[in-house]
Amino acid sequence: MKTYIPNKFIVERDPERCIRCQVCVNQCSFDSHYYDAEDDEVRSREENCVGCHRCVLFCPTGALTIRRSPLDYRENYNWSSEVIEDIIKQAETGGMLLTGMGNDKSQRIYWDHLLLNASQVTNPSIDPLREPMELITYLGRKPDCVEVDLRCVLGTELAPQVKLDVPVMFAAMSYGAVSLNVQESLARAATEIGTLWNTGEGGLHPSLYKYGNNTIVQVASGRFGVDAEYMDAGRVVEIKIGQGAKPGIGGHLPGEKVSADVSRTRMIPQGTDALSPAPQHDIYSIEDLSQLIYALKEATNYTKPISVKIAAVHNAAAIGSGMVRAGADIIVLDGLRGATGAAPKIIRDNVGIPIEMALASLDTRLRQEGIRNLASIVVSGGIRNSGDVAKAIALGADAVYIGTAALIALGCTVCQQCHTGKCAWGICTTDLALTKRVNPDIGARRLANLLRGWSLELKDILGGMGINALESLRGNRLHLRGVGLTDTELGILGVRMVGD
Amino acid sequence: MAKSGGNSVVKINASGVFYRELNARLRDIASNDAQRVELHNVCGQRYIGTDLDKPIEIEIFGTPGNDLGAFMDGSRVIVHGNAQDGCGNTMNEGEIIVHGHAGDIIGLSARGGKIFIRDDVGYRAGIHMKEYGDKKPVLVIGGTAQDFLGEYMAGGILILLGLNLSAGEHHQAKYIGTGMHGGVIYLRGSVEDYQLGQEVGIADLEEKDYQIVRKLVGEFAAHFDYEPATILEGKFIKLYPRWLRPYGRLYAY
């Protein structure tokens, strides 16, 4: 069938600069460049270009420019080129539209409508270059009160706690969705910086067990790679109920991505689809969730916090309250913009709620019910920089997860082709030739650099507020003001209007 | 409670003991190299046998609670009574033998080990069992099962014997093997086509299938004092996944 989908990008090759070295041909995993030996020229198949810019950055003579192809449909606010082309694609394939990364639509990003405070005159700001600034965060269930005797010995038995030097963790990205080199980069950076990375639900590769102390191991509906050794290896065990990019639906890792090594780590035969059912079939209620939480506590002999991750949906606050009562030590909310290796586009772009709102309402709810101390709150889904982190913490989060930001640090340009398994940057693929493009030595360095930069910024933000510990910002919504928001939005966020 | 190592049997009266304490005791006993434990008056305690990675034998008298042997790694559990939901949940290695019925999601996501249920099971038995290399979970059910038997099965061997069905009586389960993409189900007795998931094919057993069935039925019969020959006289069918990738054609790329 002839496709009616136009090219998305124009590939411009400057003939003056091109030396026919074919780096672009080798770098492009989507076959957008080819060498014509007869004419001794490198040519383009523009219909294949996804705009990832791998070739542009690797062209030694700077001969390439990639531009968006002008979309010369007649202007129409309702029938945008994206809408038209989605329909064409479905008419040609009869399938669900699949996509990668997070929601790219224009729903309001509340972080951009929240502004942080700083001290002026009446309360001195603190210079983080000269004074100690505390970013340390402990995740886990906190007691209602602690008993300390006169010799300063703690009399209260504490639930297991996990110390983070920086309140930014790497979000769940499974081996299979991303490559082993990506996971190794994440694991090494987390270890160096003193935070945690998350296995996702694809099991833990034997070569990564040594980073176990900085690892969150996930137990999801597919139960891939879950055994006693796996749970013992992790610092935290996380039950994954849902994901912001695809709330309420399961996952299918396509058979092409289930290589020999992925198959070993997931414990399924090579080449079969790795199917994660939509629900966990032992969890149909809060009571059932409690049963799995305590099964995992039993299985790890109460030595590790048990985290439960849900997508931020309409009733996230009430569900979160139930999760705390079910025994979760850490609650993870993944918002509307949470990313994915593959999800139906219609789900990604239309299901869920913004993380800012979900976080604010959950924190408020748990405080109202007097159970906020019983679980830590971690949020994820579109956290872009340390400003977002500071705002999340002021809204009540204990820590955040970053996924997309971490992948960008490794080279990702958010071209949204993760689901094809052909990632030219070698990130979201199991193709062994491509995965070599991420060197874990360099990858770990880039990720650690990113977190170091964010920590410095967080300390600057805190110092400016006249605060010397992140703990003093946590849930402190007086340090936030809203701009361009309605009263209802301000009410849910628990934040006053700028100028007020 | 008597503590001991070696071959002697440790007996525990579980009456009124909370599961956390009971399992802590089991852990303690297992780490003292005990070989056998008897739990008496068990009444609903969950997670028995979870977190045990020792080849200890636990004999249960009474009714153990949900998630019996969840994540279990090499122990042997014998239940004189009925098991509840989630028995053998994500089990890795070991054996569970139930002299009675069992509830829903028996053997959920099991990765290895063997589960023998003498009588009936509830919904979604054997859901998402997997296998890798020589690790292949086995679930043998003496009676019949409810809907979604072997749903999403990705590996392992599931045998449904229907021993309590009267002559001419069908299994009642529907959606058998829905989403199945690995492993095999051997079913003794008959089912109608509409009872099977779309992803399942039916075949007669070949010799290599009979070898498996004979061996496992032999074990089943030995556990519950049946005559294997009588069981094997019945007509078996084999249910297999028609595709390794049942949902490969769902998407537009």
Side-chain angles (χ1 to χ4, degrees):
Chain A
M1 198 185 296
K2 175 177 167 47
T3 181
Y4 296 161
I5 295 179
N7 300 348
K8 303 297 290 177
F9 296 93
I10 295 170
V11 179
E12 285 177 352
R13 192 183 319 274
D14 184 343
E16 300 287 305
R17 291 190 179 187
C18 179
I19 53 170
R20 298 167 199 78
C21 65
Q22 299 181 50
V23 162
C24 53
V25 178
N26 295 323
Q27 289 297 322
C28 184
S29 49
F30 293 89
D31 292 328
S32 304
H33 304 279
Y34 67 98
Y35 177 65
D36 187 329
E38 215 164 282
D39 294 349
D40 184 29
E41 252 189 81
V42 181
R43 298 218 158 91
S44 317
R45 295 188 191 96
E46 291 184 321
E47 67 275 19
N48 290 343
C49 180
V50 298
C52 78
H53 283 73
R54 178 85 187 175
C55 58
V56 175
L57 278 140
F58 279 75
C59 176
T61 59
L64 287 167
T65 308
I66 307 286
R67 287 191 295 116
R68 281 180 59 189
S69 182
L71 299 161
D72 286 337
Y73 298 108
R74 185 178 290 270
E75 259 176 52
N76 190 317
Y77 201 81
N78 197 40
W79 300 99
S80 66
S81 56
E82 183 185 355
V83 170
I84 292 173
E85 285 162 22
D86 281 353
I87 290 174
I88 294 173
K89 217 179 272 180
Q90 290 191 296
E92 291 172 3
T93 61
M96 290 195 270
L97 295 162
L98 207 58
T99 189
M101 302 312 293
N103 178 337
D104 57 4
K105 297 298 177 292
S106 60
Q107 291 98 349
R108 175 162 281 178
I109 298 169
Y110 284 95
W111 303 129
D112 296 338
H113 293 263
L114 290 169
L115 296 168
L116 291 161
N117 194 27
S119 297
Q120 299 292 294
V121 184
T122 55
N123 186 18
S125 51
I126 304 173
D127 183 350
L129 297 178
R130 290 184 291 104
E131 297 195 40
M133 283 288 172
E134 180 80 57
L135 295 184
I136 290 172
T137 297
Y138 287 91
L139 297 184
R141 175 165 292 237
K142 310 292 187 292
D144 291 332
C145 60
V146 284
E147 286 171 23
V148 182
D149 70 12
L150 291 173
R151 290 164 295 134
C152 286
V153 175
L154 189 64
T156 312
E157 195 187 333
L158 291 181
Q161 303 288 321
V162 177
K163 180 183 169 191
L164 303 178
D165 290 331
V166 181
V168 181
M169 305 185 286
F170 296 127
M173 289 176 276
S174 70
Y175 177 39
V178 296
S179 72
L180 189 56
N181 283 352
V182 169
Q183 284 205 335
E184 189 183 335
S185 304
L186 294 166
R188 284 167 57 177
T191 306
E192 181 185 329
I193 294 292
T195 184
L196 303 173
W197 73 287
N198 188 314
T199 60
E201 73 157 314
L204 183 62
H205 191 273
S207 68
L208 300 178
Y209 270 74
K210 55 178 175 284
Y211 306 109
N213 212 27
N214 291 82
T215 305
I216 297 175
V217 293
Q218 219 178 41
V219 173
S221 68
R223 300 284 158 85
F224 295 114
V226 177
D227 62 10
E229 207 187 346
Y230 171 76
M231 290 188 285
D232 284 346
R235 187 74 189 80
V236 174
V237 181
E238 181 169 286
I239 299 171
K240 178 199 172 186
I241 302 291
Q243 178 176 349
K246 41 182 168 178
I249 71 166
H252 299 166
L253 184 72
E256 297 94 354
K257 275 186 153 183
V258 182
S259 62
D261 228 20
V262 170
S263 125
R264 178 162 64 125
T265 308
R266 294 204 174 210
M267 284 211 51
I268 49 164
Q270 194 175 341
T272 58
D273 280 355
L275 304 181
S276 298
Q280 307 220 12
H281 278 290
D282 49 357
I283 305 177
Y284 288 3
S285 65
I286 288 288
E287 292 75 13
D288 288 350
L289 173 67
S290 183
Q291 181 175 308
L292 183 61
I293 289 172
Y294 280 92
L296 294 172
K297 288 188 180 187
E298 281 286 332
T300 54
N301 199 9
Y302 300 87
T303 56
K304 300 170 201 291
I306 306 298
S307 165
V308 181
K309 174 181 177 180
I310 60 164
V313 290
H314 299 180
N315 280 326
I319 297 163
S321 163
M323 285 155 58
V324 176
R325 294 170 196 281
D329 302 302
I330 300 169
I331 289 185
V332 182
L333 289 178
D334 192 17
L336 180 64
R337 294 200 184 269
T340 176
K345 187 164 181 255
I346 211 76
I347 304 283
R348 185 195 73 173
D349 293 351
N350 292 287
V351 183
I353 64 171
I355 190 60
E356 303 90 330
M357 290 298 187
L359 164 61
S361 56
L362 174 64
D363 180 70
T364 304
R365 174 92 179 223
L366 298 186
R367 283 170 190 278
Q368 282 167 350
E369 295 181 358
I371 55 173
R372 177 64 185 86
N373 60 307
L374 296 183
S376 299
I377 299 178
V378 175
V379 297
S380 59
I383 303 278
R384 301 160 298 176
N385 52 43
S386 59
D388 290 354
V389 178
K391 290 168 190 175
I393 287 179
L395 279 182
D398 288 278
V400 305
Y401 270 132
I402 55 167
T404 302
L407 296 188
I408 292 173
L410 293 175
C412 170
T413 55
V414 200
C415 74
Q416 307 191 32
Q417 300 301 309
C418 324
H419 59 292
T420 63
K422 290 198 238 173
C423 178
W425 290 86
I427 295 167
C428 203
T429 176
T430 54
D431 179 324
L432 292 176
L434 295 174
T435 59
K436 287 194 182 129
R437 295 179 179 188
V438 174
N439 173 335
D441 288 337
I442 300 168
R445 186 74 263 127
R446 296 181 76 98
L447 288 163
N449 282 344
L450 177 73
L451 291 193
R452 180 174 180 274
W454 286 20
S455 324
L456 291 170
E457 289 171 344
L458 281 172
K459 289 176 179 176
D460 248 358
I461 290 171
L462 289 180
M465 290 172 171
I467 292 174
N468 62 8
L470 197 64
E471 203 56 48
S472 308
L473 178 62
R474 192 156 282 128
N476 190 342
R477 301 188 196 180
L478 282 172
H479 277 297
L480 294 171
R481 286 290 188 277
V483 61
L485 297 175
T486 64
D487 285 352
T488 313
E489 287 168 315
L490 290 168
I492 292 167
L493 289 167
V495 166
R496 282 152 64 181
M497 178 74 181
V498 284
D500 180 13
Chain B
M1 186 187 80
K3 260 197 179 182
S4 75
N7 288 323
S8 58
V9 182
V10 182
K11 293 189 183 181
I12 298 177
N13 180 3
S15 178
V17 180
F18 187 53
Y19 70 76
R20 187 166 173 179
E21 191 191 333
L22 184 63
N23 288 325
R25 278 201 219 168
L26 280 175
R27 241 175 251 133
D28 198 33
I29 292 165
S31 62
N32 282 332
D33 292 328
Q35 307 284 308
R36 288 191 62 219
V37 184
E38 280 182 17
L39 304 180
H40 292 271
N41 302 315
V42 171
C43 187
Q45 285 94 343
R46 291 177 173 180
Y47 316 121
I48 295 175
T50 298
D51 190 33
L52 293 185
D53 54 0
K54 300 264 171 26
I56 189 171
E57 183 172 295
I58 304 168
E59 206 156 349
I60 296 172
F61 296 87
T63 306
N66 291 352
D67 275 346
L68 172 70
F71 307 108
M72 199 169 78
D73 199 12
S75 308
R76 187 164 197 257
V77 175
I78 300 163
V79 181
H80 299 279
N82 297 324
Q84 310 302 304
D85 298 344
C87 164
N89 185 349
T90 324
M91 173 172 163
N92 193 48
E93 202 55 77
E95 206 170 12
I96 299 177
I97 298 151
V98 178
H99 292 259
H101 300 290
D104 297 339
I105 55 167
I106 304 309
L108 166 81
S109 287
R111 303 153 40 98
K114 290 178 178 172
I115 303 173
F116 295 93
I117 310 289
R118 191 190 66 196
D119 302 330
D120 297 334
V121 298
Y123 292 86
R124 300 183 200 275
I127 178 173
H128 219 299
M129 294 205 306
K130 339 182 147 48
E131 66 181 61
Y132 180 76
D134 55 357
K135 281 190 88 79
K136 200 175 255 200
V138 168
L139 170 56
V140 185
I141 299 156
T144 188
Q146 297 288 349
D147 297 353
F148 294 105
L149 176 76
E151 184 188 17
Y152 265 125
M153 219 168 126
I157 300 164
L158 202 167
I159 300 182
L160 184 69
L161 295 173
L163 296 175
N164 54 3
L165 298 178
S166 46
E169 193 185 349
H170 282 352
H171 290 284
Q172 297 298 313
K174 294 187 290 294
Y175 308 105
I176 296 171
T178 291
M180 186 175 180
H181 55 292
V184 62
I185 301 175
Y186 297 112
L187 196 144
R188 183 178 174 277
S190 51
V191 285
E192 299 288 335
D193 275 350
Y194 76 86
Q195 293 176 264
L196 303 179
Q198 294 172 12
E199 295 79 16
V200 173
I202 300 190
D204 288 329
L205 275 63
E206 295 167 30
E207 182 47 34
K208 64 176 188 338
D209 298 310
Y210 274 116
Q211 282 175 12
I212 296 168
V213 170
R214 272 197 296 270
K215 178 173 174 294
L216 292 172
V217 165
E219 290 180 35
F220 175 88
H223 291 316
F224 304 118
D225 264 345
Y226 280 99
E227 182 54 54
T230 332
I231 300 176
L232 291 165
E233 272 169 18
K235 163 82 177 150
F236 281 85
I237 55 169
K238 172 184 175 177
L239 305 178
Y240 65 93
R242 292 163 69 195
W243 305 287
L244 291 177
R245 307 196 42 200
Y247 304 122
R249 259 215 74 226
L250 278 180
Y251 302 111
Y253 281 85

